[in-house]
Amino acid sequence: MNDDLTPDDTGSDEASAAGVQGEEAALTDGGSGSNRHAHKGFSSKIGFVLAAAGSAVGLGNLWRFPYLAAKYGGGIFLLCYIALAVTFGFCLLVLEIALGRKSGKGVIGAFAALNKKFKWFGFICLAVPIIIVPYYGVIGGWVTRYIFGFVAGDGLLVGETATVETSAAFFAEFTANPWQPLVFFLIFAALTILVVVFGVQKGIERISKILMPVLAVLAVFLMIYVLCQPGALAGVQKLFVPNFADFTYETLLAALGQLFYSMSLAMGIMITYGSYMKKDASVSKCARQISICDTCFAIVAATIIIPSIFAFSPDPEATAAASGPSLMFVQLPAVFNNIPGGRWIGTVFFVLVFFAALTSSISLVETIVSVLRDNCKLSRLMSCLVVFGLMLALGSLSSLGFGPLNMIKIGDMDILSIFDYFSNSILMPIVAIGTCLIAGFFSDTKSLMDEIGIRKKGYSYYFKIMIRYVAPLCMTAILISGIFLKL
Ligand code: PFF
């Protein structure tokens, strides 16, 4: 395999594709080769699995999962999450990967290939990464700032004088500043785009093969370190011992919502990555490996965060209940500060979050880039520049929403939260429902099953019932609860 460090498909795609074994999968379409991506796919099965797992493992695993687990009863939440992951989550993941691989196209082409009448639905699906990636980049910028804060030993974050109040002041001061967050956002966005410019094999696959093992080592190291601290066991107990009395339908809904957030479903990513997958790899085997990897990371992250809160926070329940940015950027730094060697533990933790966010952000950008290349016939470089411009425009709005634009609010939601709410609570459930219904009722399900590799009759019935009825019903429950209960 020709593997030098030049972008792998920025120029003439067909020319650069010629003679390279690895892209065959993306160039062949059941032998016709005419209407698939004209550019390279992943060179190997492991490359695909690591890239898709890199997309799935992100901010969702590192702060959203631990916070939800703490809020919704620990062990019982974990149990619901795992049960839903192997049933509902797995089916949706398999479906999206198969849609991508079957069509060999980005989201718009994939829906058109499913049924010409539903090409328009691809645009709705595309809206999700367009809305998410700018504000995801802003949060990535915050994480970058925190790495510098811990390395430099900033007095508000680390040291004897640092407390929850000082880290809250650090966060508020930093995010309210009009320029600083923009600079760090720019760094994060530029890094994301740089990887995508290098292409699927030499950018995304290469970085995922390096970063995913690094992520695993960092996470396991942090987990062992935290578990060795006195008092950590109370947190482990909270997380792993289910108390059935804590079960409510909210536990189930929260686990369901987290699942499709965490597995990067309903945002076109798995369709896009599936379109780059080799034809000889098994869709269901790969999906199994991706979901195992994603769930393990979520559990390890929760085993880092919850026990450290229980061991070191003066008020563990209140700290664990802190949601969103407050948990990661305010409470956790104060917790790390009480752990021996906290400055370096904090540094390692934020480096971990940074890498996880980077691989997710890359997948969101690639989803948009693949459409620009397929449908607008732009080069990879040009497509990346368009997405970069879009990220800067929308991301700056989100970032300034904490400073000069803080008067723009809907209810108590700032600009970033408005984007987050609209994409995650409204658009994503709609996309998931639509995907299941279009695939289940308005497409050739037989060829979809073949793509997945489903041969047994029982499994085929199970899969059909899941995507036609169970998944749309579950997603409707999430949509309704998102709108009315703001869960
Ligand atoms: N699955 C990734 C995560 O858990 O962070 C990626 C992601 C999910 C990005 C949802 C954005 C998002 F709204």
Side-chain angles (χ1 to χ4, degrees):
M1 176 83 41
N2 168 16
D3 221 15
D4 55 284
L5 242 184
T6 48
D8 61 13
D9 51 0
T10 44
S12 159
D13 299 323
E14 284 78 5
S16 74
V20 182
Q21 242 177 354
E23 84 264 2
E24 254 165 52
L27 284 170
T28 48
D29 179 21
S32 79
S34 57
N35 61 348
R36 300 180 70 81
H37 290 299
H39 38 267
K40 289 183 188 177
F42 293 108
S43 71
S44 61
K45 190 189 124 202
I46 184 76
F48 164 74
V49 171
L50 287 179
S55 164
V57 176
L59 295 170
N61 302 59
L62 295 170
W63 64 256
R64 205 169 181 268
F65 182 88
Y67 137 72
L68 288 174
K71 183 172 172 189
Y72 291 102
I76 190 71
F77 176 86
L78 190 61
L79 205 64
C80 290
Y81 185 87
I82 292 174
L84 290 167
V86 294
T87 51
F88 169 85
F90 181 71
C91 280
L92 281 189
L93 185 61
V94 158
L95 173 65
E96 288 204 8
I97 298 174
L99 286 182
R101 195 176 65 174
K102 190 165 173 314
S103 65
K105 289 276 181 190
V107 274
I108 295 177
F111 279 100
L114 205 53
N115 183 332
K116 274 209 180 79
K117 285 192 199 131
F118 289 99
K119 183 177 176 183
W120 59 271
F121 193 77
F123 288 95
I124 300 188
C125 192
L126 183 66
V128 180
I130 290 180
I131 296 172
I132 291 179
V133 76
Y135 79 76
Y136 206 77
V138 170
I139 302 175
W142 296 351
V143 173
T144 317
R145 172 69 187 94
Y146 270 65
I147 297 176
F148 283 100
F150 271 95
V151 170
D154 194 305
L156 293 176
L157 288 178
V158 242
E160 275 163 26
T161 48
T163 58
V164 177
E165 285 73 32
T166 61
S167 59
F170 178 88
F171 181 68
E173 224 172 82
F174 166 64
T175 51
N177 183 304
W179 293 110
Q180 265 203 36
L182 281 183
V183 171
F184 285 98
F185 161 52
L186 199 73
I187 296 173
F188 186 86
L191 267 176
T192 305
I193 296 290
L194 186 70
V195 174
V196 180
V197 164
F198 273 89
V200 176
Q201 279 183 22
K202 290 184 184 161
I204 301 171
E205 185 171 344
R206 184 187 290 244
I207 199 103
S208 307
K209 279 183 175 165
I210 300 170
L211 289 188
M212 289 315 283
V214 173
L215 270 186
V217 171
L218 294 184
V220 170
F221 162 76
L222 280 179
M223 183 180 74
I224 295 173
Y225 190 85
V226 166
L227 289 181
C228 290
Q229 304 303 319
L233 252 133
V236 175
Q237 203 173 1
K238 164 102 183 157
L239 182 62
F240 288 103
V241 182
N243 179 358
F244 290 92
D246 286 343
F247 180 80
T248 63
Y249 84 99
E250 286 179 352
T251 315
L252 205 61
L253 275 182
L256 203 54
Q258 169 62 14
L259 186 67
F260 87 109
Y261 184 98
S262 185
M263 284 196 182
S264 294
L265 296 168
M267 41 185 119
I269 293 174
M270 292 301 168
I271 296 181
T272 307
Y273 276 12
S275 73
Y276 297 137
M277 186 184 175
K278 277 184 162 247
K279 272 284 183 193
D280 56 6
S282 152
V283 171
S284 54
K285 257 193 209 150
C286 290
R288 196 175 314 134
Q289 287 161 357
I290 297 164
S291 38
I292 290 175
C293 188
D294 184 55
T295 309
C296 286
F297 262 103
I299 295 174
V300 171
T303 318
I304 296 168
I305 292 173
I306 297 179
S308 54
I309 288 174
F310 273 79
F312 294 106
S313 173
D315 186 357
E317 296 291 341
T319 308
S323 65
S326 162
L327 174 66
M328 193 152 86
F329 296 106
V330 175
Q331 306 285 346
L332 273 181
V335 169
F336 291 146
N337 202 39
N338 290 324
I339 300 180
R343 178 173 166 193
W344 301 112
I345 292 300
T347 307
V348 174
F349 178 79
F350 280 101
V351 168
L352 171 77
V353 180
F354 176 85
F355 286 154
L358 187 66
T359 46
S360 298
S361 171
I362 287 167
S363 67
L364 288 160
V365 169
E366 179 62 28
T367 302
I368 312 169
V369 164
S370 85
V371 169
L372 290 175
R373 302 187 70 203
D374 283 350
N375 299 74
C376 307
K377 305 287 174 236
L378 295 185
S379 68
R380 175 168 285 275
L381 184 63
M382 202 53 213
S383 312
C384 286
L385 291 177
V386 170
V387 180
F388 192 47
L390 188 111
M391 273 181 92
L392 295 191
L394 291 181
S396 304
L397 278 181
S398 293
S399 182
L400 295 173
F402 291 87
L405 298 182
N406 64 5
M407 64 293 184
I408 303 180
K409 283 205 158 115
I410 298 183
D412 58 353
M413 288 191 289
D414 51 70
I415 303 176
L416 190 151
S417 312
I418 296 169
F419 283 134
D420 181 58
Y421 176 71
F422 183 64
S423 56
N424 285 289
S425 301
I426 301 185
L427 217 47
M428 278 162 66
I430 292 177
V431 169
I433 295 169
T435 308
C436 289
L437 295 180
I438 296 170
F441 289 107
F442 301 100
S443 77
D444 174 7
T445 36
K446 165 87 184 56
S447 69
L448 210 53
M449 304 276 183
D450 290 342
E451 189 68 42
I452 299 169
I454 297 178
R455 276 171 213 97
K456 288 188 190 133
K457 256 215 167 125
Y459 188 29
S460 138
Y461 280 134
Y462 165 78
F463 186 75
K464 269 192 208 157
I465 289 174
M466 209 64 189
I467 63 166
R468 283 185 177 168
Y469 309 106
V470 181
L473 272 176
C474 292
M475 300 313 302
T476 309
I478 293 185
L479 182 63
I480 294 172
S481 67
I483 295 174
F484 294 106
L485 306 177
K486 285 223 174 162
L487 270 186

